[in-house]
Amino acid sequence: MNQQSTYRIYLCHGLHCGSQLGHVQQAFEQALAAANLTATVELRLSNCLGRCERGPNAIIQPGRVVYCQLNSTAINRIVHEHLLINTPIVELRDE
C-alpha cells in the first residue's frame, strides 16, 4: 500500500467478472468519492478469484475479506460500513 492507503480493493478481472468490471469499478469510484476516501483506498485489478458463479467479486485488504455478487447497493454498503467504520458485512462475505 502507498503511505496514505489504509485499504486496497482488488476487483476480479476474470472472464465472468471482467465483463461487469466497468460497472463495478465505476460504482466503487463514485462511492469512495462520496465518502471522501479516494486518497486512502486503492482500487486494483486481480486475476480470477475463482468464485465465478457468485460474481462480480472483490477482495478487501487488509483482512482478505471477499465480497461476492457486487451491485451498487452492496458497494455502497461496503464503502460506508466496512471502509468507513471498519465493520465487514457478514451477509455479503464469501469465505
Side-chain angles (χ1 to χ4, degrees):
M1 286 185 219
N2 68 42
Q3 291 178 324
Q4 294 181 359
S5 293
T6 55
Y7 288 103
R8 276 190 185 155
I9 302 171
Y10 293 90
L11 304 176
C12 182
H13 193 254
L15 183 62
H16 173 74
C17 295
S19 68
Q20 301 173 60
L21 180 63
H23 168 73
V24 170
Q25 186 170 359
Q26 181 180 9
F28 265 114
E29 288 170 351
Q30 290 173 348
L32 292 169
N36 200 28
L37 291 175
T38 55
T40 59
V41 177
E42 198 176 336
L43 282 177
R44 292 191 170 191
L45 300 181
S46 77
N47 292 324
C48 180
L49 298 177
R51 293 165 168 84
C52 301
E53 69 282 356
R54 294 183 303 275
N57 308 295
I59 294 178
I60 296 184
Q61 294 281 21
R64 190 161 167 62
V65 177
V66 180
Y67 288 113
C68 294
Q69 298 178 327
L70 296 175
N71 58 38
S72 296
T73 301
I75 290 168
N76 281 318
R77 284 192 65 197
I78 291 165
V79 169
H80 289 93
E81 296 176 37
H82 186 141
L83 302 181
L84 278 175
I85 60 174
N86 198 29
T87 305
I89 305 163
V90 175
E91 65 269 19
L92 298 179
R93 291 180 72 167
D94 182 62
E95 297 303 326

